[in-house]
Amino acid sequence: MGTPDFAVASLKVLLEQGMNVVCVVTQPDKPQGRKKVLTPSPVKTAALEHNLPVLQPQRMRSPEAVAELASYEPDLIITAAYGQILPKAVLDLPRLGCVNIHGSLLPKYRGGAPIQRCIINGETVTGITLMYMAEGLDTGDMISRLEVPITDDDTSGTLFAKMSEAGAHILTTELPRLVAGKIDAEPQNDDEATYAPNLSRDDEKIDWSRNSRDIYNQIRGLVPFAGGFTLWNGDVFKVWKTVQPQPDASLPAGAADAAPGTVVELGKNGIVVRTGDGVLMLTEVQPAGKKALNAADFARGNALAVGTVFQ
């Protein structure tokens, strides 16, 4: 059971290991692009390439969906970023249980956006937890964990790719024990739990009064899915890439007295904006109604001047 690219590697591992994948469950096709073309999930695409039956219930909690899944008589259910909470009726179906490939080192970052939140929060290490599923939100007993380092240049996109491979690796390692039912799982310490709720529009809005490093982490944690945004002339102005701030960098002339959000320099490499503790250079931006482009090119061709204030 899975939906995005993150889950594809784990599906492939099951097939490579000779597991009898009786069906694949994924989210319904969704409209994408300006023309709203119905598009299958990456997991569905991968499943169909291997001629596997695919179920796409709108609500996995519905009695009809549970009954259809039960008809396949699964011994083991493995989920990876499926996108729906499984009801107890599904958790109780397989004789070997339901296990989840979760994108954090539990009990930290329970919830739907652990990979993005780790980068946004400036973490330097995250990882994969293979866990039994329970009725709570990512509260089940842990089977195994695998650390994954986060570099300063990682975005959510690059980290998702690393974590997908780590999830496939941990599944490869633990499959023999899972199939044999010989697992000695470790309960989570709820006192150490933190949460990573799904991202909202508020998470994408840039607060220029924060320090440069926090804004830098925010932007890379939102790439490539949403990007951060500010307002320019009342319109949404997206920021897709910035240069990692240097703690000892000197401020451009006049920057010390500028309010956060003020453009203090238009350099050959980008747009330099005042922040709460210094400056941050924007190198890839996207004005409303336009495509993303190099920030320096945008500054040269538009009415953006030193002293402009992003809201």
Side-chain angles (χ1 to χ4, degrees), residues 31-108:
Q32 292 187 1
R34 292 185 177 181
K35 294 185 179 180
K36 303 297 182 184
V37 177
L38 277 180
T39 305
S41 72
V43 164
K44 178 180 179 180
T45 300
L48 294 180
E49 288 173 354
H50 291 87
N51 299 312
L52 298 173
V54 176
L55 308 183
Q56 295 178 274
Q58 290 286 347
R59 293 179 64 253
M60 193 64 248
R61 289 183 172 275
S62 72
E64 296 79 11
V66 174
E68 186 174 21
L69 182 61
S71 70
Y72 286 92
E73 300 181 347
D75 293 309
L76 176 68
I77 290 177
I78 298 173
T79 72
Y82 169 48
Q84 293 192 43
I85 295 175
L86 303 189
K88 189 174 186 301
V90 170
L91 298 179
D92 291 342
L93 271 180
R95 64 181 181 85
L96 296 175
C98 296
V99 300
N100 180 45
I101 301 165
H102 183 75
S104 79
L105 296 173
L106 291 172
K108 291 185 176 181

Side-chain angles (χ1 to χ4, degrees), residues 274-293:
R274 184 73 162 101
T275 65
D277 71 336
V279 294
L280 185 66
M281 179 179 285
L282 319 184
T283 56
E284 185 176 340
V285 297
Q286 183 178 6
K290 305 290 185 180
K291 293 183 179 180
L293 75 163

Side-chain angles (χ1 to χ4, degrees), residues 11 36 38 113 115 140 146 156 181 192 249 257 264 284:
L11 172 59
K36 303 297 182 184
L38 277 180
I115 296 175
L146 178 64
S156 282
E192 297 177 356
D257 297 326
V264 295
E284 185 176 340

Side-chain angles (χ1 to χ4, degrees), residues 96-200:
L96 296 175
C98 296
V99 300
N100 180 45
I101 301 165
H102 183 75
S104 79
L105 296 173
L106 291 172
K108 291 185 176 181
Y109 293 101
R110 294 173 176 174
I115 296 175
Q116 299 97 316
R117 297 281 182 188
C118 277
I119 293 182
I120 290 171
N121 291 346
E123 302 281 5
T124 58
V125 177
T126 184
I128 293 291
T129 302
L130 185 66
M131 55 176 287
Y132 279 113
M133 300 183 72
E135 289 187 80
L137 180 63
D138 299 324
T139 57
D141 292 351
M142 300 179 294
I143 298 167
S144 183
R145 302 198 303 171
L146 178 64
E147 288 191 355
V148 175
I150 303 174
T151 71
D152 281 347
D153 295 324
D154 269 323
T155 65
S156 282
T158 61
L159 189 55
F160 261 90
K162 291 180 183 180
M163 297 282 273
S164 176
E165 292 303 315
H169 178 78
I170 202 170
L171 188 58
T172 302
T173 302
E174 298 298 334
L175 264 176
R177 291 202 303 148
L178 284 171
V179 172
K182 297 178 179 179
I183 296 292
D184 184 18
E186 175 189 354
Q188 295 186 42
N189 183 348
D190 291 340
D191 292 337
E192 297 177 356
T194 62
Y195 292 88
N198 289 329
L199 298 176
S200 69

